[in-house]
Each structure stands twice: as structure tokens, then as C-alpha cells.
Amino acid sequence: MKNECLVVGGGIVGMLTALELANNGLRVTLVERESVGQESSWAGGGILSPLYPWRYPPAVRELANWSQQHFPLFFEKLHLATEFDPEFTRNGLLIMEPNDAERAQTWANQYQQELHFLNAAQTLEIEPKINKLLPTPSIWLPQVGQVRNPRLSKALKIALIEHPLIHLREKVNIAHLQIQGDRITGIKTTSNGILSGDFVIICAGAWSARLLQDTCFLPKIKPVAGQMLMFKAIPNLLSRIVLVNGHYIIPRRDGRILAGSTMEETGFDKIITEEARQALTTAAINIIPELKQYQIEEHWAGLRPGSPSGIPYIGEHPFVKGLFLNTGHFRNGVVMSLGSARLLVDLLLERDEPIIDPTPYMPTSRMNEKFDPKSPECQACKMCPEI
Ligand SMILES: Cc1cc2nc3c(=O)[nH]c(=O)nc-3n(C[C@H](O)[C@H](O)[C@H](O)COP(=O)(O)OP(=O)(O)OC[C@H]3O[C@@H](n4cnc5c(N)ncnc54)[C@H](O)[C@@H]3O)c2cc1C
């Protein structure tokens, strides 16, 4: 039986993919060029819901919905097995966007999500420090959870190390794929030679397209930077995640409050700017005026793996057998991660009934997104049937 898998990239998506493969009896080597969980998966807010879920295409909603249903048990087991708490907290999401009320209700009915509309007094009752001038009725989603990204990555790393079928290799950079005929046979590292495998799964986040440059199918993944701030606030200043005009604040258990985020296309540089710091500070103080008393402890940027409509690429490469993608989760990589890992394994193992319809995610369904066949890369590669 073919069962040697090479997972490239140790963000949340790669780590969960490795675990899901190994839990299904496959042997896995996870290769990460630095340390696992340090890129987008470290930088994110860990909100376990798309920000305005009704504004996303069904493909994002379906995967988020599946993950949301399975996260509570998953986190409980992870915490128990690793003795490390990723701080999964179901403290809800309050959205101050009355114009979205009708669409929100339709979405809630479709996905059986608990949703309440709160008037100004009710909003203040559950979140007393919130700015009284914010528009109501607010949309209250009490079941939405959050996780603390660095803690989740740490717990996942422990789980990887302890799994008998997983070999974790950090500080190994993958330079190229090794392809013979129409089949993947391994990956070439910049320093340690070739690693052979029956399956290679690309989970390299914003860097994924670079690795696929020679394969005649370039997923449209590009880095989209996001800056965030962390206030050193105190417990009980804020109890739930609040979202206003695309800006959100997230209370952590120790009282710290995250404020996010920007959306910038600045290539692969993780630049932090004074302009973003000002904008995020102003937006956060607009939500909770008392926040101005607290100092900003940290300011950082991460690179989201941007993709068309935020739909990740999950499934086998159109032209290279054994080469799979699980990447391009854009703004919702944490909330979609669990479902993505499971769907990827369903497809790799050719299961008759994958958890959801895989069509919208599969590279084979997304050929119209590919490169220009007249480009020099295409002409040089000659792998796809059109050339
Ligand atoms: C500011 C911000 C806020 C966010 N908030 C949320 C949120 O609240 N909820 C949510 O669901 N999502 C959120 N996201 C998005 C989410 O963080 C990402 O979608 C998710 O982390 C992507 O995970 P990943 O594993 O695909 O990528 P990454 O975490 O970026 O991991 C990719 C890994 O691949 C490695 N790699 C790349 N190239 C190579 C190579 N050649 N060889 C070896 N290794 C390689 C990298 O070093 C990296 O570790 C946010 C993102 C940002 C930036």
C-alpha cells in the first residue's frame, strides 16, 4: 500500500492535515522551513467564524460550518492529549451592522445558527463598556468561538511530536517538487537532498503558488498582509468579540485585547506601519472608549494566503498524480482548517462520501483560474493537455 505522505508547510492547515493523515494510518513527514505555526497561523485572531458569514460564498460557509460543529470535541481531545490548553472559548460574536439583518437571518436559518437581534439597551446589558453611539440592532451570535493561535500551534506541535506515524522536520526548506512523468515522487530540499513520498500535500500558505510554478497549474494564491495590535487590558473590560465596519476586537482570557486588522497587498514583506497602528487604535477605541487607557503591547503583521473569493484549493493537482493541495484559506484559515484537513484526506483516500461536496475546492474544477497558456512558464512546462 502506498502510504508515505510529505506535507509541505507547518501552519495550522499543514499540522492538522498531517494529524488527519496519520490518524488514518498513513505515514507522514511534515516539512517546515522555519518552526511550525509561526506565520499566518501565529498572526491571526483565531475567530472561529468568517467575519460576516452571510457575505461569503457557500463553499466557505460549508467548510466553516463543518469545522464549527467539530471543533469543541477536537479541542477537548487536543487539550487532554497534550496537556496544553489552546484556550478555545465560546464567547460569541457581536456585529454592529443593522443593514445586514435580513441576510444574516436567512443565513442563520439555512445553517441553523443561533442569532439574536439586540436593541441598544440589550446590547449594553451584555457588553456594558461598548460605545453607546454604535448602530443597533446588533447581530448577536452567541455560539461563535475563538482560539488563541500561538497556543493552538503549540498544542498541535506537541500532538505531532507524540504521534508515532509523524516525523516533524523543521528548518527544512522545500525548493522544488520532484515529478517523474505525470507522478510526484518527492520533494527537493535546499539543503538536505531529496525526500521521497507517494503523496505530497502543499500546505505552504501564501507561498504555495511558488512551489507549483513548474507544474502548469498555478493556483491564484497571493499574500495579503494583515496588521494587528494587542492591548494590555484587564479581564472583564470586554467579554465577547465585537465587529464594527470590518474592524474587530477580541478579548483573551487574561484580559488582553486584540484589534484587527488591515488588508494590504505588499508582497511577501510583513511590514508594520504607523498609519495602520493609528487606524486600528482609533477603530478599537471607537468600539470600547475605555481602551484608550491601556497600552499597546504588541503590533505585528502576517501574510494571509489570499485566494479568489477566499475559497481554498483542496484536492489533487490536475496534471500530477499524488500531488495534493490544501491551501489558499485567505481570511478564514483557522475556522476552515479542521474541515479542510478532513476533506483533503477524504479525497486522497478516495472515499465514496466526503464530508461535503468537494467540487468547488478541487483544482480540477478551477482550471479557468489558471495562468495564461501563452506565458513563458506554460510554454516551458508543457505538462497540461492544452499545450
Ligand atoms: C491579521 C490576521 C488575522 C486573521 N484572523 C483570522 C481569524 O480570526 N480567523 C481565521 O479563521 N483566520 C484568520 N486569519 C487567516 C488565517 O490565519 C490563515 O488563513 C491561516 O493561518 C493559514 O494557515 P496556513 O497553514 O495555510 O498558512 P501559514 O500559517 O502561513 O503556514 C504556511 C507554512 O508554510 C511554510 N512554508 C512556506 N513555504 C515553504 C517551503 N518552501 N518549504 C517549507 N515550508 C514552507 C511557512 O513557513 C509556514 O509555516 C487571519 C490572518 C491574519 C494575517
Side-chain angles (χ1 to χ4, degrees):
M1 180 187 160
K2 291 179 173 179
N3 62 3
E4 289 287 346
C5 300
L6 302 167
V7 174
V8 181
I12 281 173
V13 174
M15 287 193 278
L16 280 171
T17 301
L19 284 169
E20 187 67 27
L21 287 162
N23 287 339
N24 282 280
L26 294 142
R27 276 200 300 273
V28 183
T29 300
L30 190 155
V31 188
E32 162 57 47
R33 66 174 176 204
E34 292 295 339
S35 301
V36 294
Q38 296 302 306
E39 289 291 352
S40 196
S41 298
W42 179 89
I47 303 171
L48 298 174
S49 168
L51 289 181
Y52 302 90
W54 44 88
R55 296 185 188 176
Y56 280 91
V60 171
R61 288 188 259 161
E62 294 288 336
L63 216 43
N65 197 45
W66 191 93
S67 302
Q68 285 166 336
Q69 286 171 19
H70 293 82
F71 269 135
L73 185 59
F74 172 81
F75 287 132
E76 195 185 317
K77 283 185 178 170
L78 183 69
H79 185 177
L80 262 176
T82 61
E83 296 178 9
F84 193 82
D85 185 0
E87 295 193 3
F88 167 61
T89 313
R90 215 197 267 269
N91 56 351
L93 172 61
L94 188 62
I95 305 179
M96 316 299 285
E97 187 52 79
N99 294 334
D100 273 14
E102 206 178 310
R103 285 163 77 194
Q105 186 64 68
T106 308
W107 161 83
N109 295 345
Q110 188 184 354
Y111 291 94
Q112 282 121 40
Q113 296 273 349
E114 188 179 344
L115 178 149
H116 305 275
F117 295 109
L118 306 184
N119 63 27
Q122 290 165 326
T123 305
L124 279 172
E125 199 176 313
I126 64 164
E127 207 54 75
K129 303 271 170 72
I130 206 166
N131 183 350
K132 295 179 181 56
L133 301 176
L134 292 174
T136 53
S138 55
I139 299 166
W140 170 225
L141 305 172
Q143 297 301 323
V144 170
Q146 59 156 295
V147 71
R148 203 159 176 164
N149 290 34
R151 296 188 66 92
L152 173 58
S153 288
K154 191 163 175 187
L156 290 173
K157 181 169 177 176
I158 297 170
L160 293 174
I161 291 169
E162 289 180 349
H163 203 297
L165 292 179
I166 296 178
H167 182 196
L168 173 62
R169 299 195 56 180
E170 296 182 300
K171 310 276 178 211
V172 177
N173 183 45
I174 301 309
H176 291 288
L177 305 174
Q178 202 188 29
I179 299 166
Q180 281 173 9
D182 64 352
R183 206 172 168 99
I184 191 94
T185 55
I187 46 183
K188 293 178 192 166
T189 72
T190 41
S191 53
N192 303 32
I194 291 168
L195 300 173
S196 300
D198 305 304
F199 299 104
V200 171
I201 302 100
I202 304 295
C203 303
W207 298 268
S208 296
R210 284 182 174 181
L211 283 163
L212 294 159
Q213 262 168 9
D214 303 333
T215 69
C216 219
F217 172 75
L218 262 195
K220 287 207 161 165
I221 297 174
K222 59 182 175 186
V224 180
Q227 297 188 46
M228 295 265 270
L229 303 178
M230 185 161 73
F231 288 85
K232 196 170 182 193
I234 50 166
N236 300 325
L237 181 66
L238 177 74
S239 306
R240 57 215 83 224
I241 307 161
V242 185
L243 173 62
V244 181
N245 280 331
H247 288 280
Y248 53 82
I249 51 175
I250 310 170
R252 297 303 199 204
R253 285 190 197 167
D254 60 8
R256 288 181 166 84
I257 293 178
L258 266 59
S261 61
T262 61
M263 291 272 282
E264 300 159 83
E265 293 195 22
T266 49
F268 287 94
D269 291 329
K270 288 178 282 183
I271 301 165
I272 57 168
T273 61
E274 187 51 36
E275 192 189 348
R277 188 184 176 99
Q278 286 299 332
L280 293 172
T281 305
T282 305
I285 290 171
N286 178 47
I287 303 174
I288 298 276
E290 247 184 63
L291 253 189
K292 62 171 166 288
Q293 298 171 19
Y294 298 94
Q295 75 180 72
I296 295 168
E297 199 178 10
E298 271 193 77
H299 178 190
W300 66 86
L303 298 178
R304 306 175 184 93
S307 55
S309 307
I311 301 173
Y313 295 82
I314 306 172
E316 195 167 28
H317 189 283
F319 311 120
V320 185
K321 294 192 180 76
L323 175 60
F324 284 74
L325 281 69
N326 191 5
T327 183
H329 295 71
F330 206 177
R331 301 196 78 176
N332 295 299
V334 183
V335 58
M336 292 195 285
S337 58
L338 199 59
S340 297
R342 173 60 193 274
L343 185 61
L344 183 283
V345 175
D346 284 349
L347 292 171
L348 189 140
L349 295 178
E350 299 178 22
R351 287 186 174 132
D352 290 337
E353 291 189 20
I355 49 162
I356 51 177
D357 176 8
T359 313
Y361 317 95
M362 288 166 66
T364 40
S365 323
R366 302 175 72 171
M367 302 289 283
N368 59 345
E369 291 176 358
K370 70 179 199 255
F371 49 68
D372 170 13
K374 294 195 182 72
S375 68
E377 294 84 4
C378 256
Q379 295 292 329
C381 160
K382 300 199 189 314
M383 283 185 69
C384 92
E386 287 171 34
I387 295 191

